[in-house]
């Protein structure tokens, strides 16, 4: 098999790469892919094209297998509870060019589920230890490790990947990843999406016996931002309860870290991983509880409240990761239908596990409607004439109805190029000096300018409005 | 690192006692393919005490491709030993043993081997062996989880005569605060309050149970009784809201009485005794409670004591009071005073409960020297509003509903199936039909991806295997079209039996056939996750396990539970 060459020749992310360049992977074995051959080489009446979220047509055969083994590059965000599982699952499903990033180091409390880590790894970087383990165990696989948060990769770097899988524990990183993949989608002049620029984003999450996996196809399914309200705000404590009427041991712990730390250890940053800091909070919470006659402050509770610890178990992580990896496999090979598009597992009481489509939000700031007007005008066109052009006809909106503007402001505050008389805030008076100037004196050729108007709101154009001025002469 | 407990993230769910139960567990795995090892992985990690791996194979290149617990260097070595060693390497707290023998030989030749296990996980076990095993384990009262991954489809089946959930943790089950039928200390607290003359600070901090008991008394005095009809209860709730005071700060800023918000929200139910959750009602109505034997599990004696307590001290409507009070608007002093009232009643109720427990144990001739531990009593009382008992359908009964002529033979393989539910003998359950109907009701026109239909297809594949000695699409250069046609015939029999003949198509048969019994890793990992999740529930007697089959359809990633 010439597998090793294919696997290790992948571009390790070019100039962006800060990844640990892996040692050359051991070659794949002749019979290694026996368990997926039937899925890839035999025809199916239920290929991807037959599903309710079709991405492509299943063509059984060696080409499809080669696409998986030798072309598909997959990015895993996070090498924790989900990430460890994902790396194993992907490697054993025929993905051979896997990239993973995680900035965390290994903690003792990870060991009950993050099975690529051992006691001796505590303190080491998660992504590097995980990548090394997978490469040692599974022949033919290259795993490139990074130690940066996703926010530190530029959007264009994600273009390298056929699919991105998120095994994250926070909302902010998910939002960044989601927005980046939405931004990468390119449309032609008619506003039609270039399908080759769509990178599916598969996301998993768990809490105790509950978890979910979902497939986000930017501009086709709901994106992460469309359904942000599904994540309830973090449970906080009322400050007056904490400071004056504590009733529960949790209130005493909250008092220790919300009030006493600031007061008694001013200027010092609370390190929630420091045993000394945690012990201090525990002692203070215990004193507070004794003062009020409240029972039940323990070290474990102190940790739980301070760090907002979410219970995590091996089985839920395994389930969610496996379903995510399965979607990646189907999206790359088309050997089954893509999940449409949200799968829940709620296993506290029996096992309720529905799959259903989450709907796109027309007010989504990541994939909602957007106005982006391209105008080709002579250089001598004045700012006033441009404004007249923008208010004289319905302007097209991507994924929504055209909008006719009654008033318009061109350019963003404070660099307003021109605003019509009805625009509030004095911007007309401040910009009217530009009214009769030719655009060639005011803007660059091909410059994109923000457009505002009373009809342009977060509801009608959640992704904003702009005009790009191109000089025709 | 600020915690020295590597199980911290899971003991927040099942507690130290749940962890102890896992640590004492002895788990047997049959077949160490990926479905089996993934199941064990998720049990070794959380610290299940002892694992026994039974497998008769030697490691191949194919294993290296789909099983994470073998490596290239292991090719040719016994798979039981290799997988055990890689599994145990993950967690030094767990020990185990390997048996390099074909599980079928063990089931047939040495059934006594299975005595003493807390759980047996049978992975990819063929039908006849599974039937024999399930009969053996049923008679030993050892729980069985049968799991399989088959192409993109998977299933997991639990079988156990009776399973009891000490802490079912049903989300809707909340403690009864006894507002409708206040105990003396709660009534005394309410009686001592004067809503007219108390200061503003007290008025806006009186805990809502006290407010409701107080206001209910006033309402009853004025209206000649508690509100009974729906309209009266709504009127009471509205009236409670009108009892707020207009309070302002010294600067004249109005203060909204949040305790009254809580009172209004709970007012319409305030004259109704908290009904038993259906699961608890089932336990208390269980015939077992009137036929206790000294060898029965503590659970049954505790349940009997609960029933007796409810009938006597509970006046037919209350369970023992819980000592833990949920948080609510109150000052520290008022809250702690109320909590003391609940604690006092909880202590009294516990004593009465324990007297019932003793009587029940004595009547059954239990050993006085081996009492139910105090910790078990405390935990039982803390969660007595959410207990559950489950009786599983034997696997033999499910599989006896195959082709009519050998139905009787299959039932005979499981003696337990023969007595009791004779009328259900050989019957297909309605679960598959209901699953399809539910999808249709939700507006789905194409039900081909309904998970339950794929359980029907797995049975057809098994029929094919029983008849030919190989699975459809497996073996050297099989004729896929001919195999699929044969599978379709078997599927049609079961589809008709389950009442879903219109929905099982030739396409289903083609898809099952194309798999050729392959075991791709992601399906194995999915099923292994479900096995471990259910195993933890069975071993800790916390949460509620699946009744009785979980089916995964990886073609479209849908899943469901069905009672087969």
């Amino acid at each position: 098999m010439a597998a090793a060459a294919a696997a290790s020749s992948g571009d390790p992310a070019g100039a962006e790469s800060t990844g640990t360049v892996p040692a050359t992977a051991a070659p794949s074995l002749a019979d290694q892919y026996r368990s997926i051959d039937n899925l890839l080489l035999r025809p199916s009446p239920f290929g991807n094209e037959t599903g309710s979220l079709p991405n492509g047509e299943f063509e059984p055969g060696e080409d499809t297998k080669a696409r998986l083994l030798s072309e598909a590059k997959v990015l895993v965000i996070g090498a924790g509870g989900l990430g460890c599982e994902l790396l194993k699952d992907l490697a054993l499903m025929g993905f051979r060019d896997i990239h993973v990033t995680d900035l965390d180091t290994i903690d003792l409390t990870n060991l009950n589920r993050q099975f690529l880590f051992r006691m001796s790894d505590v303190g080491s970087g998660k992504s590097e230890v995980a990548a090394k383990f997978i490469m040692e165990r599974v022949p033919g696989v290259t795993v490139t490790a990074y130690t940066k948060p996703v926010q530190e990769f530029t959007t264009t770097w994600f273009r390298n990947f056929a699919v991105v899988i998120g095994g994250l524990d926070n909302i902010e990183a998910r939002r960044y990843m989601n927005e980046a993949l939405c931004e990468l989608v390119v449309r032609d002049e008619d506003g039609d999406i270039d399908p080759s620029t769509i990178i599916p984003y598969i996301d998993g999450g768990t809490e105790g016996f509950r978890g979910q996996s979902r497939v986000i196809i930017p501009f086709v399914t709901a994106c992460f931002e469309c359904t942000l309200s599904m994540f309830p705000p973090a449970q906080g404590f009322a400050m007056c309860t904490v400071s004056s009427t504590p009733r529960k041991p949790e209130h005493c712990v909250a008092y220790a870290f919300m009030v006493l730390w600031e007061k008694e250890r001013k200027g010092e940053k609370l390190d929630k991983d420091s045993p000394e800091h945690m012990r201090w909070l525990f002692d203070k919470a215990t004193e507070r509880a004794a003062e009020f006659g409240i029972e039940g402050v323990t070290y474990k509770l102190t940790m739980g409240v301070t760090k907002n610890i979410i219970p995590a178990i091996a089985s839920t992580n395994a389930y969610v990761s496996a379903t995510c990896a399965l979607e990646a496999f189907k999206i790359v090979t088309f050997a089954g239908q893509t999940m449409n598009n949200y799968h829940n597992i709620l296993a506290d009481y029996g096992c309720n596990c529905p799959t259903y489509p989450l709907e796109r939000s027309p007010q989504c700031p990541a994939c909602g409607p957007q106005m982006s007007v391209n105008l080709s005008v002579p250089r001598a066109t004045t700012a006033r004439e441009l404004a007249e052009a923008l208010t004289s006809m319905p302007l097209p909106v991507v994924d929504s109805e055209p909008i006719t503007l009654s008033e318009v402001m061109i350019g963003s505050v404070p660099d307003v190029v021109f605003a019509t008389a009805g625009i509030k805030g004095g911007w007309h008076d401040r910009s009217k000096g530009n009214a009769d100037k030719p655009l060639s004196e005011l803007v660059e050729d091909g410059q994109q300018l923000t457009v505002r108007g009373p009809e342009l709101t977060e509801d009608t154009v959640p992704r904003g409005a702009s005009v790009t001025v191109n000089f025709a002469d | 690192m600020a915690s020295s407990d590597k199980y911290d993230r899971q003991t927040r769910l099942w507690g130290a006692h749940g962890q102890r139960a896992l640590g004492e567990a002895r788990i047997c795995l049959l077949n160490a393919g990926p479905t089996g090892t993934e199941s064990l992985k998720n049990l070794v990690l959380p610290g299940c005490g002892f694992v026994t791996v039974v497998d008769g194979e030697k490691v191949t290149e194919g294993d290296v491709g789909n099983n994470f617990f073998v490596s290239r260097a292991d090719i040719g070595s016994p798979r039981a030993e290799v997988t055990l060693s890689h599994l145990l390497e993950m967690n030094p707290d767990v020990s185990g043993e390997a048996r390099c023998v074909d599980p079928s030989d063990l089931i047939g030749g040495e059934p006594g081997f299975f005595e003493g296990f807390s759980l047996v996980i049978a992975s990819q076990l063929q039908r006849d062996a599974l039937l024999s095993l399930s009969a053996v384990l049923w008679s030993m009262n050892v729980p069985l989880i049968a799991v399989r991954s088959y192409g993109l489809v998977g299933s997991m089946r639990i079988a156990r005569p009776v399973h009891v959930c000490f802490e079912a943790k049903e989300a809707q089950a909340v403690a009864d605060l006894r507002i409708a039928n206040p105990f003396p200390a709660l009534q005394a607290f309410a009686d001592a309050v004067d809503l007219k003359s108390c200061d503003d600070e007290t008025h806006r901090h009186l805990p809502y149970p006290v407010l409701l008991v107080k206001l209910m008394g006033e309402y009853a005095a004025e209206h000649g009784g508690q509100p009974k009809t729906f309209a009266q209860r709504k009127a009471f709730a509205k009236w409670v809201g009108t009892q707020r005071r207009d309070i302002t700060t010294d600067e004249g800023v109005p203060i909204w009485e949040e305790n009254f918000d809580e009172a209004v929200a709970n007012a319409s139910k305030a004259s109704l005794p908290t009904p038993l959750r259906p699961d608890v009602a089932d336990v208390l109505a269980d015939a077992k409670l009137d036929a206790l034997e000294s060898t029965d599990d503590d659970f049954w004696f505790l349940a009997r004591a609960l029933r007796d307590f409810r009938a006597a001290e509970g006046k037919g409507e209350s369970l023992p009071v819980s000592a833990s009070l949920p948080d609510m608007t109150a000052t520290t002093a008022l809250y702690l005073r109320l909590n003391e009232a609940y604690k006092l009643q909880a202590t009294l109720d516990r004593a009465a409960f324990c007297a019932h427990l003793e009587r029940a144990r004595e009547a059954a001739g239990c050993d006085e020297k081996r009492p139910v531990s105090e910790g078990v009593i405390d935990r039982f009382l803390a969660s007595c509003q959410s207990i559950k008992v489950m009786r599983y359908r034997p696997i033999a009964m499910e599989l006896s509903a195959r082709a009519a002529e050998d139905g009787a033979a299959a039932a005979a393989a499981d003696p337990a199936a023969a007595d009791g539910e004779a009328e259900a003998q050989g019957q297909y359950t309605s679960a598959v039909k209901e699953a399809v109907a539910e999808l249709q009701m939700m507006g789905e026109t194409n039900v081909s991806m309904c998970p339950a239909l794929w359980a029907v297809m797995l049975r057809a594949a098994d029929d094919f295997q029983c008849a030919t000695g190989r699975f459809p699409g497996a073996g050297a250069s099989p004729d896929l079209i001919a195999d699929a046609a044969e599978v379709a015939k078997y599927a049609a029999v079961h589809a008709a039996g389950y009442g879903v003949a219109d929905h099982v198509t030739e396409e289903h048969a083609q898809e099952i056939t194309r798999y050729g019994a392959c075991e791709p890793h992601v399906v194995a990992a999915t099923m292994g996750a479900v096995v471990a999740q259910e195993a933890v529930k069975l071993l800790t007697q916390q949460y509620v396990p699946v009744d009785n089959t979980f089916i995964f359809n990886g073609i479209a990633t849908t899943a469901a539970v069905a009672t087969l």
Side-chain angles (χ1 to χ4, degrees), chain A residues 242-258:
Chain A
V242 169
S243 60
S244 50
T245 59
R247 297 175 293 268
K248 289 289 190 188
E250 288 84 352
H251 300 149
C252 301
V253 175
Y255 187 75
F257 83 88
M258 288 165 73

Side-chain angles (χ1 to χ4, degrees), chain B residues 377-392:
Chain B
I377 294 171
D378 285 340
R379 281 196 298 277
F380 182 83
L381 288 175
S383 60
C384 67
Q385 72 285 355
S386 187
I387 53 176
K388 185 175 172 66
V389 60
M390 302 175 73
R391 289 194 165 78
Y392 283 95

Side-chain angles (χ1 to χ4, degrees), chain B residues 105-148:
Chain B
D105 295 342
L106 200 58
I107 296 163
E110 202 185 325
F113 173 82
F114 296 101
E115 193 84 58
F117 282 110
S118 328
L119 171 70
V120 174
I121 300 168
S123 148
Q124 310 292 67
L125 200 59
Q126 290 184 4
R127 180 152 67 197
D128 290 339
L130 179 62
L131 278 168
S132 308
L133 175 70
S134 70
V136 167
L137 297 181
W138 192 274
S139 67
M140 293 173 176
N141 198 20
V142 172
L144 165 67
I145 297 180
V147 60
R148 66 193 301 191

Side-chain angles (χ1 to χ4, degrees), chain B residues 439-455:
Chain B
L439 271 186
Q440 287 171 327
M441 219 168 67
M442 285 163 64
E444 186 64 72
T445 49
N446 179 358
V447 297
S448 61
M449 288 299 130
C450 175
L453 296 180
W454 294 93

Side-chain angles (χ1 to χ4, degrees), chain B residues 3-62:
Chain B
S3 172
S4 57
D5 174 14
K6 72 175 172 181
Y7 300 127
D8 177 82
R9 296 302 185 268
Q10 65 199 39
T11 49
R12 286 174 192 276
L13 290 173
W14 52 67
H17 60 293
Q19 190 61 38
R20 208 155 43 240
L22 293 185
E24 289 164 3
R26 295 176 58 87
I27 299 170
C28 176
L29 170 70
L30 303 182
N31 284 328
T35 308
T37 56
E38 288 298 309
S39 303
L40 272 198
K41 160 178 138 284
N42 302 323
L43 291 168
V44 168
L45 284 167
C48 282
F50 189 90
V51 295
T52 299
V53 177
V54 181
D55 188 289
E57 304 285 321
K58 297 273 197 292
V59 174
T60 66
E61 285 190 2

Side-chain angles (χ1 to χ4, degrees), chain A residues 26 31 38-39 42 44 85 88 112 118 137 246-248 292 299-300 327 330 337 347-350 355, chain B residues 2 10-11 38 41 61 68 89 279 325 327-328 330 332 335-336 511 514-515 537 544 554-555 557:
Chain A
D31 201 25
N38 289 351
L39 301 180
R42 293 176 171 181
S44 168
E85 292 280 345
K88 164 189 69 93
N112 79 326
R118 301 292 172 265
R137 184 61 63 84
R247 297 175 293 268
K248 289 289 190 188
F292 283 89
Y299 186 74
K300 190 173 176 121
E327 292 317 303
K330 290 187 290 185
Q337 302 176 354
D348 307 69
Y349 189 98
T355 301
Chain B
Q10 65 199 39
T11 49
E38 288 298 309
K41 160 178 138 284
E61 285 190 2
F68 195 70
E89 184 258 328
D279 285 344
L325 187 64
D327 192 25
M328 59 189 66
T332 306
Y335 181 83
L336 292 182
E511 181 72 8
R514 96 184 181 102
Y515 298 151
K537 296 182 201 171
V544 175
I555 305 160
T557 310

